[in-house]
Amino acid sequence: MNNMKFKTSSPEPLQSNQKLKARRKFIKLSLSLFTSTLIPSFYSKAISNPENSNSWSIGERVELCEGQTITCTSLFPKRIYCVLIYNTSKNDRNVFLDVNWSNQQAPKKMTIPGSENKQGDASLILVSGNDTSTISLSITSGNGGQIECFLISTAIESPSPNLPIRHIVTGGKRYIVEKYQHYLGLINRGWYHLTLENKISQSVVLQIQHHQVIIYILNPTQTPLFNITSVGSITKNKDYLIQRADFEGQPQRIEVLIQGNEETIMWVGASSKQALNNTTLALQALSITKVLSREKPSTVKRKALQCYSDKNKVYSGPWVNQQ
C-alpha cells in the first residue's frame, strides 16, 4: 500500500470583524453570569438589612413597635441628653422598654404608662455623653404596644422637618408651648427672667442646658407623677432638678431668674398637645451686658442712669451729675 500523506494546515485566522464579535459575545456572557449570581444576592441583602435601618439621629422623632430597636451612636461628651417618649398604643396599655447604654451593665427596664387617647405626659430618659456615646431603645417581642420618641440636646445642629426649632427673643414676648417644638435662647452674660404659666391644667416643660436639665411642673396635682429613668452617672438634684409650682401659692405660674454665661438653653414641652396649648413661656433680659457704641454720652441735668441708642443698638452709660 502506498503511503498516504495527509496534508495538515493551521486554521485560517479570523478576520477583524469576527474577532470583535467573539470578544463582545464573551464579555456579554461574563456580565450575564455576574448579574445572575453576585448582584441579586448583594442587592437583596442591602434591601432586607439596610446598613442604617435602626439608626437614630439627635432631634429625630421616630416610632418604635414590638420587636424593633433604635440606636444613636453620636452622643458627645460634656452634654446631657433627654429622650422624650409618648405612649402611642391604640389601647390604654403599658409598654415595657429596654434601655441599653453600656456593654458592661445590663439594660435598664422602663415602663411607659398607657393613656387614654394618647393624652398622657411624656416619659423621660436622661443620659450623659460623658458616660457613653451610644444609647439604644428596644421593645422586645411579646410586649406589644407602640411608642413615639425623640432625642434632644443642646448639641443639636439643625432643625429637622418633624422637630422644628424656634429661636426666641429675650424681650418678654409670650410663646405658646407647642408639642414637639424646640425653643432656643442664647443667654449672654447677665440676668434673665423666665416666666412659665398654665391657668387650666397640669403641664411639664423641660429646660435643657449643656450639663443640666430642669423639669418644671405647672399647675401640679397634690402628688404629681412624672416618669423619669436615668442611666450612668446622672443623679437627681445635680444633673437634673424637679421644680413644682407652689401648690398653696401660685400653682399656675413659675418665675425664675437665670444667670447667663453665653450658653444656649433649650425649652421643650413634655405633656399632651391639649395641656401644652394652655402653657406659655416668656424670657426677658434684665440687663444690658455689652457696650455697642463708642459715642460719648451727652450730659443731662440731675443725677440719672444714661441709656443711649445708635442705629437701634442700645448700650448703657454710667451715672452722671449735673454740671
Side-chain angles (χ1 to χ4, degrees), residues 56-63 84 86 148-151 160-164 179-181:
W56 189 21
S57 301
I58 299 171
E60 181 182 7
R61 192 168 85 243
V62 297
E63 295 277 357
L84 266 69
Y86 287 96
E148 180 182 62
C149 47
F150 54 100
L151 181 64
S160 60
N162 58 2
L163 273 181
K179 188 176 181 180
Y180 306 127
Q181 183 85 54

Side-chain angles (χ1 to χ4, degrees), residues 197-203 218-219 251-252 274-275 277-279:
E197 191 169 19
N198 185 335
K199 296 181 179 180
I200 299 176
S201 57
Q202 176 178 298
S203 60
L218 287 158
N219 241 330
Q252 302 172 347
Q274 287 75 6
N277 282 343
N278 304 319
T279 306

Side-chain angles (χ1 to χ4, degrees), residues 159-206:
S160 60
N162 58 2
L163 273 181
I165 288 179
R166 176 174 292 174
H167 294 269
I168 64 175
V169 297
T170 59
K173 178 181 177 180
R174 288 191 177 189
Y175 296 87
I176 295 176
V177 181
E178 300 177 11
K179 188 176 181 180
Y180 306 127
Q181 183 85 54
H182 288 50
Y183 298 87
L184 287 183
L186 177 59
I187 309 301
N188 295 315
R189 296 190 182 277
W191 288 98
Y192 293 78
H193 183 269
L194 173 69
T195 304
L196 298 168
E197 191 169 19
N198 185 335
K199 296 181 179 180
I200 299 176
S201 57
Q202 176 178 298
S203 60
V204 179
V205 177
L206 308 181

Side-chain angles (χ1 to χ4, degrees), residues 79-96:
R79 286 290 192 278
I80 192 169
Y81 293 83
C82 302
V83 182
L84 266 69
I85 303 171
Y86 287 96
N87 192 330
T88 56
S89 302
K90 293 182 179 180
N91 301 320
D92 183 6
R93 60 174 299 174
N94 294 340
V95 174
F96 302 99

Side-chain angles (χ1 to χ4, degrees), residues 15-27:
Q15 299 297 324
S16 296
N17 59 344
Q18 291 176 315
K19 290 182 179 180
L20 183 60
K21 288 180 180 180
R23 186 178 295 110
R24 286 177 177 174
K25 185 175 181 180
F26 175 77
I27 294 173

Side-chain angles (χ1 to χ4, degrees), residues 3-275:
N3 293 331
M4 299 181 63
K5 294 182 179 180
F6 294 94
K7 183 179 180 181
T8 61
S9 62
S10 301
E12 294 182 3
L14 294 174
Q15 299 297 324
S16 296
N17 59 344
Q18 291 176 315
K19 290 182 179 180
L20 183 60
K21 288 180 180 180
R23 186 178 295 110
R24 286 177 177 174
K25 185 175 181 180
F26 175 77
I27 294 173
K28 186 176 180 181
L29 179 62
S30 301
L31 289 175
S32 177
L33 290 173
F34 180 79
T35 303
S36 62
T37 56
L38 297 180
I39 289 181
S41 61
F42 172 78
Y43 183 75
S44 61
K45 180 180 179 181
I47 293 298
S48 60
N49 297 293
E51 183 179 355
N52 296 317
S53 62
N54 65 342
S55 64
W56 189 21
S57 301
I58 299 171
E60 181 182 7
R61 192 168 85 243
V62 297
E63 295 277 357
L64 189 65
C65 302
E66 178 182 357
Q68 293 183 338
T69 297
I70 52 174
T71 301
C72 180
T73 59
S74 57
L75 305 187
F76 297 102
K78 300 182 180 180
R79 286 290 192 278
I80 192 169
Y81 293 83
C82 302
V83 182
L84 266 69
I85 303 171
Y86 287 96
N87 192 330
T88 56
S89 302
K90 293 182 179 180
N91 301 320
D92 183 6
R93 60 174 299 174
N94 294 340
V95 174
F96 302 99
L97 191 67
D98 285 285
V99 182
N100 186 17
W101 63 279
S102 170
N103 291 329
Q104 285 72 41
Q105 300 188 39
K108 272 199 171 184
K109 301 287 185 179
M110 185 178 187
T111 301
I112 311 300
S115 61
E116 295 182 1
N117 301 320
K118 307 177 184 178
Q119 299 303 316
D121 289 334
S123 296
L124 185 65
I125 301 172
L126 298 176
V127 60
S128 172
N130 291 333
D131 296 327
T132 181
S133 62
T134 302
I135 185 169
S136 297
L137 306 182
S138 304
I139 302 178
T140 56
S141 298
N143 284 310
Q146 178 175 288
I147 61 174
E148 180 182 62
C149 47
F150 54 100
L151 181 64
I152 55 178
S153 166
T154 56
I156 188 170
E157 295 181 355
S158 60
S160 60
N162 58 2
L163 273 181
I165 288 179
R166 176 174 292 174
H167 294 269
I168 64 175
V169 297
T170 59
K173 178 181 177 180
R174 288 191 177 189
Y175 296 87
I176 295 176
V177 181
E178 300 177 11
K179 188 176 181 180
Y180 306 127
Q181 183 85 54
H182 288 50
Y183 298 87
L184 287 183
L186 177 59
I187 309 301
N188 295 315
R189 296 190 182 277
W191 288 98
Y192 293 78
H193 183 269
L194 173 69
T195 304
L196 298 168
E197 191 169 19
N198 185 335
K199 296 181 179 180
I200 299 176
S201 57
Q202 176 178 298
S203 60
V204 179
V205 177
L206 308 181
Q207 178 178 300
I208 303 169
Q209 299 167 233
H210 292 349
H211 307 291
Q212 190 180 64
V213 175
I214 302 176
I215 302 165
Y216 298 112
I217 303 179
L218 287 158
N219 241 330
T221 61
Q222 287 283 6
T223 55
L225 299 177
F226 194 67
N227 192 25
I228 303 175
T229 292
S230 60
V231 298
S233 62
I234 297 290
T235 56
K236 187 177 179 180
N237 296 327
K238 177 185 175 184
D239 302 293
Y240 74 95
L241 309 172
I242 299 177
Q243 183 168 341
R244 297 175 174 85
D246 185 359
F247 186 79
E248 296 180 354
Q250 293 185 349
Q252 302 172 347
R253 188 181 182 92
I254 292 179
E255 298 184 42
V256 296
L257 288 174
I258 299 174
Q259 187 175 17
N261 60 351
E262 298 185 352
E263 175 185 354
T264 298
I265 298 180
M266 177 186 295
W267 291 271
V268 180
S271 294
S272 66
K273 183 178 185 298
Q274 287 75 6

